[in-house]
Amino acid sequence: MTDSRVPRRRRYLVCEPRHFAVQYAINPWMHPDVEVDVDLAQEQWQELIRTYRAHGHTVDSVQPVAGLPDMVFAANSAVVVDGRVLGSLFHAEERRPESVHYDMWFKQAGFAVHRPESVCEGEGDLVWTGRYLLAGHGFRTTREAHREAQEFFGRPVISLNLVDPYFYHLDTALFVLDDSGDGNNIVYYPEAFSPGSREVLERLFPDAVRATREDATSFGLNSVSDGRHVFIAPQAEALAGKLAERGYVPVAVDLSEFLKAGGGIKCCTQEIR
Ligand code: ARG
């Protein structure tokens, strides 16, 4: 069974945590009085990049900018499907300037960037499943941005209501295991969603893997899958076990220092499709 899971080579966009810090609190994980160990953060992040490359993935990076401590969370800066780039408009004033730098990177890399008019936090809330964009709202990205995304991509956008402030971005409560036609599947933590949104997920993905609150609080839902390998927090042991039973290969990467800002593996990784 294990050998039936086929990885696909990915292109990831990241940003080095040179200026990473917790200087303001815009989610319940952030406490500005808690010190960040920048050297440890750098080591953990470098290990993530080495791991991606060792698994055959391409990694591009945006230059970090002083004074933008959350810029390391590349996933929030755009969502790219079929070479179409929808940029971001951050909810928090502190993060708004990040967009300028990411948009510039995309332009230099040959992509046109469509700017949203309403608050929209990229892959933090807009998750491409291979068929639809699942789209979170409730804390950051607005329903108006979901409408904009559907119009821009011409793909069905399924709005999902997030209800737990600890799981303020969709990518903290759900990730895509397999975005191919046949195997298309996700993992999610049901309690992070309103009852109606939970039902929508059950209907769309009856075979999904359900995660526990422990998996979610250790940022196990903030994982990245290439279709075979799942890059996942080592603390999410129960979830890693379930994934292995389904024939996936969990690859543990510890980004514990980033948890202090409410981020994990997926937050640090944007996929360019
Ligand atoms: N401190 C950042 C924020 O609250 C963390 C972003 C995490 N990124 C993510 N894709 N969930 O905006």
Side-chain angles (χ1 to χ4, degrees):
M1 185 65 207
T2 308
D3 289 331
S4 65
R5 302 287 179 200
V6 185
R8 199 160 46 73
R9 281 177 200 272
R10 313 282 171 149
R11 181 179 181 192
Y12 296 132
L13 181 63
V14 300
C15 179
E16 195 209 305
R18 202 181 308 161
H19 307 292
F20 175 57
V22 179
Q23 291 169 351
Y24 45 79
I26 54 172
N27 69 55
W29 304 90
M30 299 177 89
H31 303 287
D33 42 307
V34 171
E35 189 109 7
V36 166
D37 181 337
V38 183
D39 293 335
L40 178 58
Q42 276 278 7
E43 275 167 41
Q44 292 182 332
W45 184 87
Q46 295 291 350
E47 182 58 26
L48 175 67
I49 306 310
R50 271 195 296 276
T51 306
Y52 283 150
R53 291 193 167 130
H55 286 81
H57 305 301
T58 300
V59 182
D60 284 314
S61 76
V62 173
Q63 272 294 107
V65 175
L68 297 177
D70 273 335
M71 204 175 157
V72 60
F73 300 116
N76 304 150
S77 284
V79 52
V80 185
V81 180
D82 266 346
R84 292 190 203 179
V85 183
L86 178 63
S88 289
L89 176 59
F90 283 93
H91 177 74
E93 203 59 55
E94 294 92 333
R95 296 198 65 185
R96 290 205 168 175
E98 293 178 32
S99 299
V100 178
H101 305 284
Y102 277 91
D103 288 3
M104 213 144 62
W105 184 89
F106 277 107
K107 282 173 198 154
Q108 279 163 2
F111 297 89
V113 178
H114 179 83
R115 301 250 359 116
E117 282 169 21
S118 190
V119 167
C120 186
E121 298 202 349
E123 286 197 317
D125 279 319
L126 298 171
V127 175
W128 177 241
T129 67
R131 280 178 208 195
Y132 333 98
L133 269 168
L134 298 180
H137 68 89
F139 299 100
R140 303 285 183 91
T141 301
T142 60
R143 301 199 66 154
E144 176 52 24
H146 297 183
R147 195 198 57 76
E148 285 185 65
Q150 176 159 291
E151 211 47 44
F152 177 64
F153 290 112
R155 308 279 194 154
V157 172
I158 315 279
S159 290
L160 300 167
N161 190 6
L162 294 165
V163 295
D164 183 334
Y166 280 93
F167 309 109
Y168 57 93
H169 268 149
L170 183 59
D171 75 356
T172 63
L174 177 152
F175 73 95
V176 176
L177 271 174
D178 187 338
D179 57 5
S180 71
D182 339 317
N184 197 218
N185 206 5
I186 62 167
V187 184
Y188 66 101
Y189 168 52
E191 283 69 31
F193 298 90
S194 68
S197 297
R198 237 178 270 170
E199 217 181 308
V200 167
L201 288 171
E202 278 162 27
R203 287 177 201 277
L204 290 178
F205 298 98
D207 199 32
V209 178
R210 316 274 168 88
T212 63
R213 188 168 186 88
E214 287 66 47
D215 295 323
T217 51
S218 48
F219 269 66
L221 279 300
N222 197 246
S223 297
V224 169
S225 169
D226 66 14
R228 175 178 172 84
H229 311 101
V230 180
F231 306 99
I232 187 168
Q235 297 81 4
E237 270 174 63
L239 179 55
K242 281 188 199 166
L243 297 177
E245 273 167 31
R246 299 242 192 163
Y248 294 94
V249 181
V251 178
V253 182
D254 194 2
L255 290 192
S256 59
E257 218 39 39
F258 296 89
L259 243 80
K260 295 175 179 172
I265 295 173
K266 173 61 208 173
C267 300
C268 292
T269 313
Q270 189 189 137
E271 185 172 344
I272 300 178
R273 303 174 183 83

